[in-house]
Each structure stands twice: as structure tokens, then as C-alpha cells.
Amino acid sequence: TYPSFISIGSGNMLIYWRIGSASSGEMNLGHYDSNTHEWSFIGLISSKYGVYKGIKGTRGPYHAGFQLDSKGNIHLAWLWREFPQKDSKYIFGNHGLFYAYSEDGGFTWLDNDGKKVADTLQGEKISIDNVDKVVNIPIEMEPSNSSHSSAVDPKTGEFHEMLRHYKSGTNKNALHHYIRSSDGEWAVRVVDDFDSERISIFFADDLLYALLDSCIYVSFRGKSFNDWERIDLPDVLLNRISCYDMSRIKEGIISVFSQKKPAKRGEPTLVEVFDFLLAP
């Protein structure tokens, strides 16, 4: 499930897929070398096994995207979804914010402090037992994997993560903007300007875009990415599910792959692609 291709520079790329179910899944990678025109099977980079709250069990990873920085390093953040326990009222069981990075195209993985945690060539895997959470987000705060998105600031190398969960001490949801500095320190800002159950984020020079199904918010480097301004898109995108293509953003063009929500689950609906020119 969830197959995707990730460009990692110089014509090389990764292919990602998950094997297993939501609460019993493992991340897989393959590596394409543009010089040799050959694929290498990196293999499993995560293990579903481990101990959570003193109980041995299984879990599945929900990652926020494989993000490349200017040095060619690959950054990865994820949640674990625990196998539901019989006495648990939490259906999904997502928890924590976990992070690792690779300096060699996905073969070896390091934790937040730069310690090697998985050498895939030696059969080692990322697991809940060898990678500590960088932010404690317990199951009770119900972090949502569908609002889990990340991006690397091309100018500073900072890693940005957007994740929706309960505000601390409440049962009210809000988007939380997590930022990892170049020295591995994490900070968080609660986003009060907007909320969404589905979101992706994208950097373009000094702008950080938050892409929602029917509108866009943008934040500015000059304001330390603290404030957000809304860009309204045409009403044709209302009540749709949208995916964004930002490959022409330097030309001021955003493409949106959009599908109407069906009246009933399983019914076919229209799929369209819209190109929007942002005003200067």
C-alpha cells in the first residue's frame, strides 16, 4: 500500500511502499541509480515489532513524506499506529513524533542525535525500540496521520512538520507546526489561523505554503513563519479532495488534481486538473 516515488537528486530516486496493515506494517524502499540505470532493493527500513507502554505488540508507520535537503540528506518523520488493545477506547492508536535521516540515499538511518539506528545492508531496521520519540504526543492527544506533512527549508535546512492533534490539556484539535533546527532542537507553534484534517506543506524560496483541499495559506520568512495569509481558490474546489503539484510554483502556477466527493461511498466521480496562476 501507499506506493510513491521520491526524487533524491541527480536523476536518482526512491520507490516507497508499505507491507502489512495499518497497525502491523513495515516501510520498504527501493533505490534507482540514474548512472547505472539499475534498481537496488534497500528492503525493509522499519520493523513492526517492539514494546510500547511495557507491552510487546505490533504497529504500523504513518510517515509525513521523504524530504530531501540541499546536502542530499533524506529526512523522515512518522507516527506509530499501535495494534488496538482490547481495553483501549482509542480506535486508531496513533502516537508520538519520531524522526530519522539518511545521508546515503536511504541505506543507513540516523536518529535525531546522529546515532546510527539502522543499516539496511546489515538487516537492521528502524523500530520503536531503537528510535526515541522527538516529541511526546500520547495516544490520548489523538494525532491524525491524514494531517501529517513535512518539508525542508531550502535556505536553512530546518525540518518543518505539520500535525493535527489535541491542544495540550484539552480535547480541542489544532494544527501544530513543529520545527527541527539544524542542531537537532525541536520547537512547536500552535496554528490558530486555520485548521484542516488533510494538509500538505511546501517551501518555495521565502514562502511556506499550507495546502488544503479548497484553499491555500502562505507564511513568510520575514515573519518567521508565524503568521498565515489565506489564498482563496475558486468555488469549483469546494467539497472535493485535492492533491497539489507545485513543480511550476516559480512560474506562479499551481496545479490541482481534484476529485468530487461521491454522494455515496464507492460511486464514481469526476476527476479534473486545474492550473491556477497566483497573482504577483
Side-chain angles (χ1 to χ4, degrees), residues 143-159:
S144 170
N145 53 281
S146 60
S147 65
H148 194 32
S149 181
S150 64
V152 173
D153 186 333
K155 292 192 174 181
T156 67
E158 291 180 329
F159 178 81

Side-chain angles (χ1 to χ4, degrees), residues 12 14 19 32-33 35 55 58 77 106 117 125 137 160 172 183 190 196 218 251-252 274-275:
N12 300 331
L14 300 177
I19 288 179
Y32 177 76
D33 188 316
N35 291 320
I55 301 174
T58 64
V117 292
K125 306 172 189 175
I137 308 173
H160 289 244
K172 295 182 179 180
D183 58 3
V190 178
S196 175
V218 62
E251 303 169 43
F274 299 92
D275 291 335

